[in-house]
Amino acid sequence: MPTKPKGDPSPDATQRRGKGRVDARRAPTLASLRAEIDRIDKDLVQLLNRRAEVASQIGQVKERDGLEVWSPAREEEVIDKALAQSRGPLPADTIRLIFRELMSGSRSVQRSLRVACLGPKYSYSHLASIAKFGNAVEHVPVGSIAAVFEEVNRRHVQFGLVPLENSTDGRISDTLEMFTRHAGLKIRAEVKLRIHHCLLGKSPWADVRRVYSKAQALSQCRHWLSKNLPQASLVEVVSTAHAAEIAQREQFSAAIASRTAADAYGLDVLAENIEDQLYNVTRFAVIAEQSEAPTGRDKTTLLLRISNQAGALSKVLSPFEKAGLNLTMIESFPFSAESFPGANPSYLFFLDVEGHAQDPDVSKVLDTVRKRCERLEVLGSYPRVGSVES
């Protein structure tokens, strides 16, 4: 049998080695991948700036036609389309954050906006303001909910953001009271912020003797606190961010606040997600001088004054049921006599109904309800939204 010359590879071996050389030649390297990233980034920058140019042209059209710069319905539509078109691997929350800041920056090209919120910075109200408007606006922290209303009422800012209700603790009474005093202000949009409380401090957990936070935050963590820090006294302060500031300078103290506040004040996260309810959401209202136009997926908030008589509330609510309109919130609220001088004792009710006040079926029901109560005021119609992470 003839033998193959030494060093003369078999066809199979040649094919295997050749295939290996081809694969090695085609395999991406770190340098080639980085070059590809650079090319993509170049295209992205050009597209982002082109988008900003178009946004600037939109701003000119809005100014010519007397339209508002900010449209919450349009921004939600843009984000929803982006999420629907995304096939990964970026998470949905990342896509939302990118487009939020993109639209925030585009708005700033059109016009600078100022938004009042309950401060100081890094409070949950401040975080909710960023979640809705992005970072390319001027967030104006003020000391109270009443001050937010006043800033909008005096036109020092275009918008205000106030907490409306919490899934654990219910209504925010200070906000409801201010709506009774500022009839001209409307709810323009809502923000549903997922609240994740953290225990922040510089002392070891076992050494904590005082826990500072806002009353609502302490309430939302009361079971966790009683189980894990029974030795600590609970101290209410005006905001979670102020609590973090105190914990920064006071020994043996801790604060209940956000992880963002921990970064801002240089505190350690001693424990995270300490809220008692897994689904802990605070709903905020964006207030302005007018409501939003209908979008087809809206919500309307109403203020009603009802006489103190048997069956009065039932008569007011029955038209909603007959029309098949879903009520998603109802809160009773006491009011002081000086708010309505000469009026008989009665109650205020805040209602949320699905639909826009201009929708024919909603408008018809409101006409009926108006005849059955002492006062009916539409506090605003605005797009319904889902919750976002803080």
Side-chain angles (χ1 to χ4, degrees), residues 51 70 75 97-111 113 130 132-139:
R51 190 186 192 281
W70 183 59
E75 293 197 357
L97 288 173
I98 291 171
F99 271 82
R100 183 196 73 191
E101 292 303 322
L102 177 58
M103 290 185 291
S104 182
S106 298
R107 260 189 276 109
S108 68
V109 173
Q110 302 174 35
R111 181 186 175 188
L113 292 181
I130 293 175
K132 195 63 176 178
F133 292 94
N135 283 287
V137 303
E138 184 181 355
H139 300 278

Side-chain angles (χ1 to χ4, degrees), residues 46-55 78 99 102-103 106:
Q46 292 175 347
L47 288 171
L48 292 175
N49 281 313
R50 174 57 185 153
R51 190 186 192 281
E53 290 173 356
V54 176
V78 170
F99 271 82
L102 177 58
M103 290 185 291
S106 298

Side-chain angles (χ1 to χ4, degrees), residues 91-163:
D93 284 342
T94 301
I95 297 292
R96 176 177 289 276
L97 288 173
I98 291 171
F99 271 82
R100 183 196 73 191
E101 292 303 322
L102 177 58
M103 290 185 291
S104 182
S106 298
R107 260 189 276 109
S108 68
V109 173
Q110 302 174 35
R111 181 186 175 188
S112 60
L113 292 181
R114 304 181 79 234
V115 183
C117 59
L118 185 61
K121 288 184 177 181
Y122 313 112
S123 66
Y124 286 109
S125 290
H126 179 240
L127 296 180
S129 185
I130 293 175
K132 195 63 176 178
F133 292 94
N135 283 287
V137 303
E138 184 181 355
H139 300 278
V140 183
V142 296
S144 66
I145 289 173
V148 175
F149 278 82
E150 289 297 333
E151 288 292 289
V152 179
N153 192 50
R154 295 175 183 177
R155 298 184 176 178
H156 294 168
V157 298
Q158 290 94 344
F159 304 102
L161 186 137
V162 290

Side-chain angles (χ1 to χ4, degrees), residues 118 145 163 166 168-174 195 197 213-222 236-240 256 280 282:
L118 185 61
I145 289 173
N166 177 266
T168 303
D169 290 333
R171 70 185 187 188
I172 310 298
S173 58
D174 289 351
I195 304 296
H197 292 303
S213 198
K214 194 173 181 181
Q216 288 85 352
L218 292 171
S219 176
Q220 291 161 23
C221 305
R222 55 185 176 271
E236 294 181 10
V237 293
V238 294
S239 72
T240 55
I256 295 177
N280 185 33
T282 296

